[in-house]
Amino acid sequence: MRDPENIRMAEKLDIQWIGFIFWEKSSRYVSVPPAYLPTKQKRVGVFVDADIKDVMEKVREYALNIIQLHGKESPAYIQKLRHLCGEHIAVIKALNIATEEDLEQTFPYNGKIDYFLFDTKAQKVGGNGTQFDWSVLSTYKGNTPFILSGGIGPDDAEKVKAFHHPMLAGIDLNSRFEIAPGLKDIEKLKHFIYEQNQ
């Protein structure tokens, strides 16, 4: 997110994290800090194969609580990042999933991150608005919690409610809840969250 008023309105909702995308090729790229940053939710910085020095800069500038990695970041890269950030910063590693075999990507990262984010395998990075077959996650037996991502929209409330997995930590709501890139449709979010809580 990047619009101050939009952030203020989202902050009033029953959500835990608000994200800021620091990848220049994204239509949601945040080039300068918004005039208002959330104080009630944790701040997530999203990066794609960024230089560690640049990540650290954003962590300080935006007072990030969580780093989300969407590129080909290696376990060694993550280890170095964690060493510099300290244990108080959580790390999410996004992985693109289409089949059960894709879950094998999790193995090298086990014990090195706090969460996986399982996204839809696609040509472009994130925000594709398409879903993968969530049933493949039934074979995920890892000890690292995961966030479900990839094209979850306002009409998926029942489907999300019906999805159960012992390691599910949350869901990522992005492109299908937008009026424009980086600008959330607060009413759609509000309604979806209400449906989840029923």
Side-chain angles (χ1 to χ4, degrees):
M1 298 185 73
R2 55 193 174 197
D3 177 80
E5 196 50 40
N6 201 225
I7 292 169
R8 285 181 197 277
M9 291 169 77
E11 196 177 34
K12 294 174 184 171
L13 304 177
D14 183 19
I15 55 175
Q16 284 70 51
W17 301 348
I18 289 180
F20 303 91
I21 296 181
F22 300 119
W23 186 49
E24 290 185 16
K25 292 180 183 175
S26 172
S27 58
R28 300 169 184 85
Y29 175 57
V30 180
S31 56
V32 293
Y36 180 79
L37 289 167
T39 56
K40 295 175 184 156
Q41 283 87 8
K42 289 187 175 176
R43 302 174 189 181
V44 184
V46 180
F47 301 89
V48 180
D49 298 320
D51 186 282
I52 285 180
K53 184 169 65 70
D54 295 337
V55 176
M56 296 304 298
E57 209 172 275
K58 296 298 184 199
V59 167
R60 285 189 290 271
E61 190 179 6
Y62 286 76
L64 299 177
N65 309 103
I66 303 165
I67 295 167
Q68 183 171 312
L69 303 171
H70 254 277
K72 295 180 171 66
E73 298 87 3
S74 67
Y77 173 101
I78 290 167
Q79 207 167 355
K80 188 177 177 185
L81 191 60
R82 297 213 77 141
H83 174 72
L84 291 168
C85 286
E87 291 304 308
H88 65 289
I89 304 280
V91 176
I92 301 170
K93 180 69 187 91
L95 296 173
N96 296 330
I97 306 296
T99 66
E100 291 179 6
E101 288 71 33
D102 290 326
L103 290 166
E104 292 173 13
Q105 298 172 85
T106 62
F107 300 160
Y109 297 99
N110 278 326
K112 295 179 174 68
I113 57 163
D114 299 281
Y115 304 93
F116 285 113
L117 181 137
F118 294 144
D119 203 354
T120 305
K121 193 179 266 189
Q123 289 301 311
K124 64 174 190 165
V125 180
N128 294 291
T130 56
Q131 288 180 17
F132 65 96
D133 179 4
W134 300 347
S135 69
V136 304
L137 298 180
S138 62
T139 60
Y140 175 65
K141 309 296 182 196
N143 295 321
T144 304
F146 69 85
I147 295 149
L148 187 62
S149 186
I152 297 169
D155 51 351
D156 291 316
E158 288 305 317
K159 186 180 175 186
V160 169
K161 230 174 158 177
F163 177 78
H164 299 286
H165 191 289
M167 299 312 288
L168 176 66
I171 55 170
D172 177 47
L173 305 179
N174 190 14
S175 60
R176 292 185 62 202
F177 287 89
E178 288 182 327
I179 297 162
L183 193 68
K184 294 290 178 284
D185 187 321
I186 300 299
E187 284 309 309
K188 280 184 182 175
L189 281 170
K190 199 183 287 184
H191 184 69
F192 184 89
I193 293 163
Y194 173 79
E195 292 287 307
Q196 291 303 299
N197 292 332
Q198 290 311 296

